Amino acid sequence: AQTVTQSQPEMSVQEAETVTLSCTYDTSESDYYLFWYKQPPSRQMILVIRQEAYKQQNATENRFSVNFQKAAKSFSLKISDSQLGDAAMYFCAYPRIIHSQGGSEKLVFGKGTKLTVNP
Amino acid sequence: DTEVTQTPKHLVMGMTNKKSLKCEQHMGHRAMYWYKQKAKKPPELMFVYSYEKLSINESVPSRFSPECPNSSLLNLHLHALQPEDSALYLCASSQAVVGDEQFFGPGTRLTVL
């Protein structure tokens, strides 16, 4: 069964510092996608970054980057130069395909990591 | 327009009431989703519509009834709910393409008395 594990329920970081959130997953697929979603206290979930498993290069979006280790099934998120607005719940997610047609996916979420940014 | 809107923002209902949650997107997405989220937990998938057809039903009790009147609208009809159904209900949409990003709405905070 595909599972996603986030082993850090809570993390804190000082403003302007760097923090890494961990995620491991389990899948038997060889080609897949992985996501990090952010849910701030206002509750609207937004995509932070997406990684395609067949791409060896780690995805980067401005201050956010991932360390994708396919063999180890590890997908950690690094936030550089942390800002107060980065405070949120961060969910690692894996889209499990239920049917072969598009739009038939189930996002399997980890339990989340609550990130606090200290001024 | 990259927004998913949900109404109402908050809803309080009794166990005998019938109410509906509404979700709308104008991004041309052909897949729409309902999730239930309890406090401090990840969202749990309830239903997926793909090209206006119900594609996934995660064994949700029949007191929750989804409807997709057209490609931009998604409703969730509620009837005879239980207090344990109190939660944040999130709607999302995406291109019906494997691995595409899901865009989430702000949610409806539901309280069942």
Side-chain angles (χ1 to χ4, degrees):
Chain A
Q2 286 107 346
T3 57
V4 177
T5 302
Q6 293 180 249
S7 58
Q8 306 151 317
E10 295 188 24
M11 292 281 283
S12 64
V13 63
Q14 290 296 124
E15 202 174 359
E17 296 293 311
T18 296
V19 65
T20 299
L21 309 184
S22 302
C23 173
T24 58
Y25 60 94
D26 185 26
T27 181
S28 56
E29 303 292 327
S30 58
D31 192 18
Y32 48 89
Y33 297 83
L34 292 162
F35 301 111
W36 277 99
Y37 279 90
K38 168 186 177 182
Q39 191 175 36
S42 65
R43 312 299 275 185
Q44 188 145 12
M45 188 101 67
I46 57 171
L47 180 71
V48 175
I49 201 162
R50 184 178 86 155
Q51 175 78 42
E52 298 172 71
Y54 70 88
K55 287 188 176 178
Q56 304 228 341
Q57 188 173 6
N58 289 327
T60 300
E61 287 288 341
N62 300 314
R63 298 182 295 106
F64 298 86
S65 61
V66 298
N67 183 4
F68 174 52
Q69 304 284 333
K70 190 173 183 180
K73 295 181 180 173
S74 170
F75 182 59
S76 60
L77 175 70
K78 186 171 88 170
I79 306 174
S80 304
D81 186 25
S82 297
Q83 300 176 1
L84 294 177
D86 295 333
M89 280 292 285
Y90 286 81
F91 293 102
C92 179
Y94 169 96
R96 180 162 71 95
I97 297 170
I98 304 297
H99 305 300
S100 58
Q101 69 182 75
S104 298
E105 299 174 340
K106 172 180 177 176
L107 272 180
V108 179
F109 287 95
K111 291 187 176 181
T113 297
K114 182 180 178 183
L115 179 66
T116 301
V117 181
N118 300 310
Chain B
D1 185 0
T2 58
E3 196 178 11
V4 175
T5 58
Q6 291 187 243
T7 54
K9 284 187 171 44
H10 302 275
L11 179 62
V12 179
M13 59 186 291
M15 289 191 285
T16 58
N17 292 157
K18 283 186 183 181
K19 297 285 184 183
S20 296
L21 309 185
K22 181 179 172 182
C23 173
E24 195 164 3
Q25 57 87 15
H26 295 286
M27 293 178 278
H29 290 168
R30 303 310 299 269
M32 295 186 77
Y33 310 77
W34 279 117
Y35 290 88
K36 174 183 177 181
Q37 187 177 26
K38 290 282 207 179
K40 298 183 181 180
K41 299 285 188 184
E44 297 172 14
L45 183 66
M46 300 174 72
F47 303 103
V48 180
Y49 273 84
S50 179
Y51 291 87
E52 294 111 72
K53 287 186 169 53
L54 185 63
S55 175
I56 299 174
N57 177 342
E58 288 284 278
S59 303
V60 178
S62 60
R63 57 185 184 269
F64 295 91
S65 175
E67 179 195 20
C68 189
N70 59 56
S71 60
S72 300
L73 279 176
L74 186 67
N75 297 320
L76 186 63
H77 303 297
L78 314 173
H79 173 54
L81 294 193
Q82 305 295 310
E84 59 265 28
D85 297 321
S86 299
L88 183 71
Y89 288 84
L90 297 170
C91 174
S93 71
S94 72
Q95 304 283 0
V97 173
V98 172
D100 191 58
E101 171 187 358
Q102 291 187 22
F103 289 78
F104 285 82
T108 293
R109 172 72 62 191
L110 174 67
T111 302
V112 182
L113 301 176

